[in-house]
Amino acid sequence: MSAYPAHHRDPDEPLFPMPPLTEAALRVAVTRVDLSAAVRFEQEFHAAWQEAVQTDSTVPMHTFLHRWGVFVALRRIPTRAARLDELERAVGRAATLEEARAASSEIAALLDEAAREATG
């Protein structure tokens, strides 16, 4: 069963605009693209908050928001999400180092593109 709405017609188009990198906006977006990831989001949010309080630093929260912004950017476009899944499987079943490197290189390009999108 697809995580994407049946009424969404063009898999190359985003399901929704890139949300701002705030905890509330990302929570909604994560739930829309991958309901099972919402549990990890909550766990990591609380861990980042605890670390921020303990270290008196905003770095843990900025890191958390950036990471989940990239997650949303990767998955809000159905074709990109499907390609990422395909590449991850390709790395796992690669018979040679060259095959693994080729798939990993494409994953890195997707991550770079998503990071640029997330940080606008």
Side-chain angles (χ1 to χ4, degrees):
M1 177 179 220
S2 173
Y4 304 107
H7 65 275
H8 185 76
R9 298 282 184 237
D10 186 350
D12 291 325
E13 290 296 317
L15 297 171
F16 49 84
M18 184 64 203
L21 295 186
T22 65
E23 172 259 335
L26 289 173
R27 177 179 284 118
V28 170
V30 167
T31 301
R32 283 188 70 185
V33 295
D34 186 346
L35 189 55
S36 66
V39 173
R40 275 193 336 271
F41 179 93
E42 292 302 327
Q43 292 168 338
E44 290 182 21
F45 170 74
H46 292 292
W49 182 260
Q50 287 287 325
E51 185 179 348
V53 168
Q54 291 170 354
T55 61
D56 195 29
S57 171
T58 59
V59 171
M61 290 307 297
H62 287 288
T63 301
F64 167 83
L65 294 172
H66 176 73
R67 174 182 155 13
W68 283 96
V70 170
F71 177 91
V72 167
L74 280 168
R75 287 161 180 82
R76 72 190 189 96
I77 301 173
T79 53
R80 185 163 53 192
R83 183 65 182 150
L84 177 63
D85 290 344
E86 181 181 310
L87 290 166
E88 288 174 338
R89 286 190 302 275
V91 169
R93 68 174 183 269
T96 67
L97 186 57
E98 292 76 26
E99 289 176 7
R101 281 186 177 150
S104 295
S105 178
E106 194 174 337
I107 289 171
L110 288 176
L111 287 170
D112 287 345
E113 180 182 4
R116 282 191 305 277
E117 228 177 78
T119 57

